[in-house]
Structures are given as C-alpha cells and as structure tokens.
Amino acid sequence: MHWDDLKVFLTVSRAGRLETAAAALKQDATTTSRHIRRLEQDLGQTLFERTRRGHVLTDLGEALVRQIEEMESISIGIQEIAGRNQTVSGRIRLGVPEGLGSQFIAPRLSHFTDQWPAVEIDLIALSGYVSVPKREADMSILLTRPKAGRLKVRKLTDYSLRLYASKDYLKGRPAIASTRDLEQHTLIGYVDDLVYSPQLRYFEDILPGLVPRICSPSILAQTELARSGAGLCILPKFIASRHPELKLVLPDEVQVTRSFWLVVHQDVQDFARIRHLSDFLTAITADARNILN
Amino acid sequence: MHWDDLKVFLTVSRAGRLETAAAALKQDATTTSRHIRRLEQDLGQTLFERTRRGHVLTDLGEALVRQIEEMESISIGIQEIAGRNQTVSGRIRLGVPEGLGSQFIAPRLSHFTDQWPAVEIDLIALSGYVSVPKREADMSILLTRPKAGRLKVRKLTDYSLRLYASKDYLKGRPAIASTRDLEQHTLIGYVDDLVYSPQLRYFEDILPGLVPRICSPSILAQTELARSGAGLCILPKFIASRHPELKLVLPDEVQVTRSFWLVVHQDVQDFARIRHLSDFLTAITADARNILN
DNA sequence: GGTTTAACCTGCATTTTTGCAGGTAAATTT
DNA sequence: AAATTTACCTGCAAAAATGCAGGTTAAACC
C-alpha cells in the first residue's frame, strides 16, 4: 500500500470531484483516478461510488477519512519541525580560488555571519580547487563552467586582470611605454605545469614571447612578490586595488577578462543557508563591480 | 513532500543500512537511497549522516522517527479496517452464456451463497454476452479468450457438444447409422446471423452440407425444441445430461469440444468475494468433468 | 604503507507512472 | 426524442522512477 495514495484519497474526499482534487494536487485528473484505483485494489474495497455528481464516499471510505486526516496532521507537523530547523543554520563548506577567498570574500564575510549567526562557514581558499561533485564542498566558485555532474551552475561575475608593479620597482628602472619595453624587466607569473585552470593561462595570450622569471602557483604569493618590488605581475584588479603601493602599468594594452562561476551541489541547493549564501555572494560581487572590472 | 518517502525513511532508520532497508521494502538499495535524498531535499535538511557503519540519524532525523511511527500505526489500522470489510461481502455481477448459467451454475449456486451469505450475485445468463471491459459485469465466462483490455483471464474448462434427439422423435423415424442419414431428418440449430460467438458456428464443421430447419439464438430454446421432439440438435453434454428423454445420436461421429474462459476486470480481481467466486467456479467445473466432457 | 572490504553512489537501460487526446455514458437541456 | 453537457476513463507517447552494473572512497586489515 502506498502512503501517497492515502494523501490523494483524502484530497478527493474533500473535493468530491476528480478534476478539483487533481488541480489541488497539481496533477492530471487521470493520475488522480489511478491513485484511487490503486488504493481500492490494494485494500480490496471500493472507497468511492462514481456518480454524475462526482466521487461519493462509500461507508468504508467515510470511515477512513478521519484516520488519514490524522496522518496529514503529522506530515504537516514534520514539515514544520524541519522548517524550524531550516531557520538558516548549519555548516557550509565553500571552496574558492585563493585570491578571491582571502582578498575579496574574507574581508566581507562578517556581513554574512552577522546576519545569520547560526551558520558556520568553511572558507576553503586554495590555489587549486575543491570538487563539489566529489563532495569536498557544498558550494564552489570556479574559473571554468563545469559541464557535467549533479550541479546547479550560474555565472557569478566577470573580473579583470591587469599588469601591476610596485612604486619601488618602477623607480630607477627603465620606463615602460609599450609591451616591448617589458623585455628588460622582471616578470612574475604562474608555474606553468602547476596551473590548475586553463583560464589562468593568460600570460602567453597577453604577453606573447615573454617568459615570467619568478613564478608561483599562488596568486597571493605573486601579489607579495610584486609588492616587495621583485617585478611586474598580472593581477586581478580586485586584489591589486587593496594595495596602494601597486601601480597600474600599460592599462590600455594589458587587460584580460575572466569569469567566476558559482557551483552548488543539487542535493543541497534548496537548503536555506545555501540559498542565503548564494544571494550574499551575488550581492557583494554586484556591489563591487568597479573593483572587479 | 511524498508520504512514501517518509515510509522509506522509517525503514532505513530502523535498519541502519541501505541494503537491509531496501530488502525489507522489496526494492533496490539505489531506489531507497534516492527516496531518502528526495526527502532531505524536500525538507531542506540532512536526516542521515552517511558513515562506514551505515546511515546514522541526525538529531533532526531522530526527532522525526517518532512522528512517522505514528503515521505507520495509522496506516496499519487502515489496512485492518479494510481487511475486516473484506470479510467477503458485496455484490458480484457475473455474465455467462445462458446454457451454462441456467443449466449448470444456477443449480449449484446455492452452495456458494450458503457459504458466503453476505455476497449477492447477479447471474446474467443470456444468449449474447455481457462486457467486462465495458463494466457491464465484474466477471464473465466467455467462449473466446479476450485478447485486450484490463482483464485477468484464464481457462475455466473444456466442454463437449454432441448430437441429441428425444426418444419420441427417434421412435417411428428412419434409423440413423451415419451422418448421411441425417438428410432425411429435421435438424435444429442457431440462427446464423445472430450467433454471438464464432465458437458457436460448429454446425457447418460437424455436419457439412446440412442446414438446420428449425433455428433459435437461444440454446435453451433449442433444448426445448429437441425435448419436444421437433428434431435433432447439437447440444452441450452438460445440458443434455439433465434431460433423460434426450438420447445421444452418432456418438462417434458427431462431437466437438469448446472451452469456457473466466474473465475478471483488473480493478476487482483482488476483492475477496471475487476470488472466492472464481475458486467456486473452478471447483464445480472440476467436480463435473464427466458431464462437461 | 599497501591492500582489501564494505557502504554507498553514478550512469544507463528498462519499467512504471503521468499527461494528453479523445472516447463513453448518463444526466440534463432543448 | 435528439442534442448537449459533464464526469470519468482508455490508450499511447513522454517523463519519471527503478534496477543493474560498475565505480568511488574511507575505514579496516595485513
């Protein structure tokens, strides 16, 4: 016996007609009819007389209504209990690129945790990425749109990368008027075989023929190298803008745009806390459009 | 939210492991897993931690078990109420060929109604047949096996038809030693264009070239014609055996076997009274094999 | 530390359920 | 009496659920 058939039975008993009950159940009247049929078969009894005026309960049908109403009360109670628990609590594991994590999200995250005090966040900001399909995280921000998996994916924002160097590096060094001048300079970039996303292979596109002399897989390390005067580095604008000592170089010639994609595992997408965090990330990126692009 | 998911949840909470719960539910463990997943999604909460030891209830999961156990108690109560009502009562409409109905079933039916006093029977014995798919009857005995429809069909029995005439008809009439001698006799048969089943078109097969002189669509009328000495008639053995004045003619040459099929509408096949009547019909035909064949 | 095992999960083929179009029958209307 | 309306039901195509084979992973074992 299927409990769902009992639910359908109760709706039909109240509506008195298949069409009305089916509308309330958001299903086709034929489906509703089949549920009733199956229940009658399973119980070996007729529960409704089919009349021109609609479905009329038999004596046995009448006897069952009260019982099933009790089941309904319980199911409503269950949804209330769960809904209360859904008052935005629990832990979220969020995997993000390290630069975005520590330079953009971390300084803003208190706005979220202040608003939802019962939510706990694991902010995993790494050079590398954590896999949502592999359940390493509930939610992730990626540089590439994933093509497969039980994921809910949407674009979060575009962001801009540009060439920067510290004031100290530029002082006393040959002037830079075009990319050709960079040949006499020290460049900082990613370790080529440790690049974790093809989207970070922008060096060759932007500065063809030039090879970074100092490399790190970590964008944060690259930032610190540039700040300390080690050389010029292509950095996201949102990172460089936090360091006043970094100057923009060749703004018209060196520029590339990339995107961040928000990825949520299907299993948790409807959790209240997940929805709130998604909304929060969307809001902060929209507010910071001028430092992202 | 699906109530059936609650039932699955309860089973898993008791078993502690997917495989065990799935076996109890007579479904694949993957299906059981998907039901749990769907419930967690619908409620927006995790109800089980997946551990190496199996599914372990979360605090919320624990809180729901008691509630759902209450629903289970009610559903078991519902099945008990319906089972009590299943104590073989209600009305059955049974459509049968007229001869079988009035000459074979009617004289025996009191054995059934004595045993199940709360069951009411509409025995529709007609020359023609009543349609189970059209809901003209819950159950029917047909000469042909139906090929389509939401029916449960099985063969009830074979029966034999032979040539009979009354003693009065035969006395003073030319002797009959072979079918050739029948040319000088009066034959009784069906009205050809009113035959309601192809299985009753046996006259031409058995007595080729001979044409019945006196015809009726009713096998009972044909029986009465034969008894009154109007002529020779091909009759089912189970009918002729009730009339001692009818003599068997050409037993080695004139014989045909046909079958009766029991047909039940799927919607009522599990009703206790339907099952009992089916069993009864099976029993009386088995007991009367010597007068059927 | 390497291998094995147990519990669960993914992807694809198969089965079941559902929705849609149209049919049926009885009651109502003309 | 014929036509219309209303409520439900059948058959087929589409969608969803289920079963099956094999993969994954963390814990247990050697």
Side-chain angles (χ1 to χ4, degrees):
Chain A
M1 189 180 75
H2 298 256
W3 287 11
D4 284 335
D5 292 350
L6 297 176
K7 186 180 181 182
V8 173
F9 166 83
L10 187 62
T11 307
V12 174
S13 73
R14 288 174 176 157
R17 288 175 58 239
L18 274 189
E19 289 283 350
T20 313
L25 291 162
K26 296 183 170 64
Q27 65 186 209
D28 192 77
T30 315
T31 302
T32 304
S33 178
R34 287 173 180 150
H35 276 280
I36 299 297
R37 286 286 185 209
R38 184 169 63 178
L39 182 61
E40 285 180 326
Q41 264 193 66
D42 287 347
L43 295 179
Q45 303 284 342
T46 300
L47 302 178
F48 286 109
E49 305 293 348
R50 276 81 167 162
T51 73
R52 179 154 180 81
R53 281 165 292 117
H55 274 49
V56 179
L57 284 164
T58 60
D59 291 344
L60 178 62
E62 289 274 13
L64 299 190
V65 169
R66 206 109 336 133
Q67 308 273 330
I68 301 171
E69 277 175 339
E70 186 61 36
M71 286 178 80
E72 184 191 45
S73 296
I74 295 170
S75 82
I76 289 167
I78 285 166
Q79 286 178 303
E80 282 174 0
I81 293 177
R84 232 177 286 137
N85 268 56
Q86 207 166 9
T87 313
V88 195
S89 64
R91 177 169 293 275
I92 305 177
R93 177 162 288 189
L94 172 62
V96 294
E98 61 167 345
L100 183 72
S102 58
Q103 301 289 309
F104 184 79
I105 294 175
R108 294 166 171 80
L109 201 54
S110 61
H111 301 311
F112 182 80
T113 54
D114 285 347
Q115 192 177 6
W116 309 110
V119 176
E120 298 162 331
I121 307 274
D122 294 340
L123 181 65
I124 308 182
L126 297 175
S127 63
Y129 78 110
V130 287
S131 170
V132 167
K134 293 183 181 178
R135 317 306 293 262
E136 292 172 349
D138 299 307
M139 193 178 204
S140 181
I141 297 175
L142 301 183
L143 292 157
T144 308
R145 176 177 196 154
K147 295 212 170 56
R150 301 173 55 240
L151 305 173
K152 173 114 171 155
V153 181
R154 68 177 167 83
K155 186 169 173 182
L156 188 58
T157 187
D158 287 336
Y159 70 101
S160 171
L161 297 107
R162 293 171 183 268
L163 188 62
Y164 296 93
S166 70
K167 290 176 188 168
D168 286 350
Y169 173 83
L170 292 173
K171 194 174 15 165
R173 290 272 179 359
I176 301 167
S178 76
T179 56
R180 294 263 306 289
D181 299 334
L182 295 176
E183 292 173 1
Q184 313 170 60
H185 287 269
T186 298
L187 298 173
I188 302 166
Y190 276 102
V191 187
D192 191 62
D193 57 323
L194 293 184
V195 172
Y196 69 89
S197 172
Q199 297 296 315
L200 300 180
R201 293 190 198 278
Y202 43 68
F203 203 91
E204 183 64 25
D205 296 337
I206 304 173
L207 305 172
L210 298 178
V211 178
R213 178 176 169 196
I214 309 178
C215 299
S216 171
S218 161
I219 195 67
L220 297 183
Q222 290 177 39
T223 305
E224 293 305 314
L225 286 165
R227 289 180 64 205
S228 65
L232 294 111
C233 188
I234 299 176
L235 294 172
K237 185 177 173 182
F238 67 83
I239 294 180
S241 67
R242 292 174 52 88
H243 307 290
E245 68 272 19
L246 290 175
K247 305 304 281 179
L248 188 59
V249 180
L250 299 178
D252 296 327
E253 300 178 55
V254 182
Q255 198 266 337
V256 63
T257 299
R258 289 291 184 265
S259 304
F260 286 126
W261 296 85
L262 184 62
V263 181
V264 182
H265 199 280
Q266 272 186 12
D267 286 352
V268 300
Q269 71 176 328
D270 290 326
F271 288 12
R273 61 185 187 271
I274 299 288
R275 279 186 276 113
H276 286 291
L277 184 57
S278 297
D279 294 345
F280 170 75
L281 293 172
T282 303
I284 61 173
T285 45
D287 288 349
R289 197 165 292 132
N290 64 314
I291 63 168
L292 284 164
N293 292 290
Chain B
M1 191 179 77
H2 298 257
W3 287 12
D4 284 335
D5 291 349
L6 297 177
K7 187 179 180 182
V8 173
F9 167 82
L10 188 60
T11 307
V12 174
S13 74
R14 288 174 177 157
R17 288 175 58 236
L18 275 189
E19 290 283 349
T20 312
L25 292 162
K26 295 182 171 63
Q27 65 186 208
D28 191 79
T30 315
T31 303
T32 303
S33 177
R34 287 171 180 151
H35 276 279
I36 299 296
R37 286 288 184 204
R38 183 169 65 179
L39 182 61
E40 285 181 325
Q41 264 193 63
D42 287 347
L43 295 180
Q45 303 285 341
T46 300
L47 302 177
F48 287 108
E49 304 294 347
R50 277 80 167 165
T51 73
R52 180 157 179 80
R53 283 164 292 120
H55 275 47
V56 178
L57 284 164
T58 60
D59 289 344
L60 179 62
E62 289 275 12
L64 298 190
V65 168
R66 205 110 338 130
Q67 308 273 331
I68 300 170
E69 276 175 339
E70 186 62 36
M71 287 177 81
E72 183 190 46
S73 295
I74 294 170
S75 80
I76 288 167
I78 284 165
Q79 285 178 304
E80 281 174 4
I81 293 176
R84 232 178 287 136
N85 270 57
Q86 207 166 11
T87 314
V88 195
S89 63
R91 178 170 293 276
I92 305 178
R93 177 163 289 188
L94 173 62
V96 294
E98 61 168 342
L100 183 73
S102 57
Q103 301 289 307
F104 182 80
I105 293 174
R108 294 166 171 78
L109 201 54
S110 62
H111 301 308
F112 181 80
T113 54
D114 286 346
Q115 193 177 5
W116 309 111
V119 177
E120 298 161 330
I121 307 275
D122 295 340
L123 180 64
I124 308 181
L126 297 175
S127 61
Y129 78 110
V130 286
S131 169
V132 167
K134 292 183 181 178
R135 316 308 292 266
E136 293 172 347
D138 300 306
M139 194 179 205
S140 182
I141 297 176
L142 301 184
L143 292 157
T144 308
R145 176 177 195 152
K147 295 213 171 54
R150 304 174 52 239
L151 306 173
K152 172 113 172 158
V153 181
R154 69 177 166 82
K155 185 169 175 182
L156 189 59
T157 187
D158 288 336
Y159 70 100
S160 170
L161 298 107
R162 293 171 183 268
L163 189 63
Y164 295 92
S166 71
K167 290 176 188 167
D168 286 351
Y169 175 83
L170 293 174
K171 192 172 24 165
R173 290 275 185 348
I176 301 168
S178 75
T179 54
R180 295 261 308 287
D181 299 335
L182 294 177
E183 291 173 0
Q184 312 169 61
H185 286 267
T186 299
L187 299 174
I188 302 166
Y190 276 101
V191 186
D192 190 65
D193 58 321
L194 294 183
V195 172
Y196 69 88
S197 172
Q199 298 296 317
L200 300 180
R201 292 191 200 276
Y202 43 67
F203 203 91
E204 184 65 25
D205 296 337
I206 304 173
L207 304 173
L210 298 178
V211 178
R213 179 175 168 200
I214 309 177
C215 299
S216 172
S218 160
I219 195 67
L220 296 184
Q222 290 177 39
T223 305
E224 292 306 315
L225 286 165
R227 287 179 66 205
S228 67
L232 294 111
C233 189
I234 299 175
L235 296 172
K237 186 177 174 183
F238 67 83
I239 293 179
S241 67
R242 292 173 53 87
H243 308 289
E245 67 273 19
L246 291 175
K247 305 305 278 181
L248 188 59
V249 180
L250 301 178
D252 296 326
E253 299 179 56
V254 182
Q255 198 266 335
V256 65
T257 299
R258 288 291 184 263
S259 304
F260 287 126
W261 296 85
L262 184 62
V263 180
V264 182
H265 199 281
Q266 272 186 11
D267 286 353
V268 300
Q269 73 177 328
D270 289 326
F271 288 11
R273 60 185 187 270
I274 298 288
R275 280 188 273 112
H276 286 292
L277 185 58
S278 297
D279 293 346
F280 170 75
L281 293 171
T282 303
I284 59 173
T285 44
D287 288 348
R289 194 166 294 132
N290 66 312
I291 64 166
L292 285 162
N293 293 291

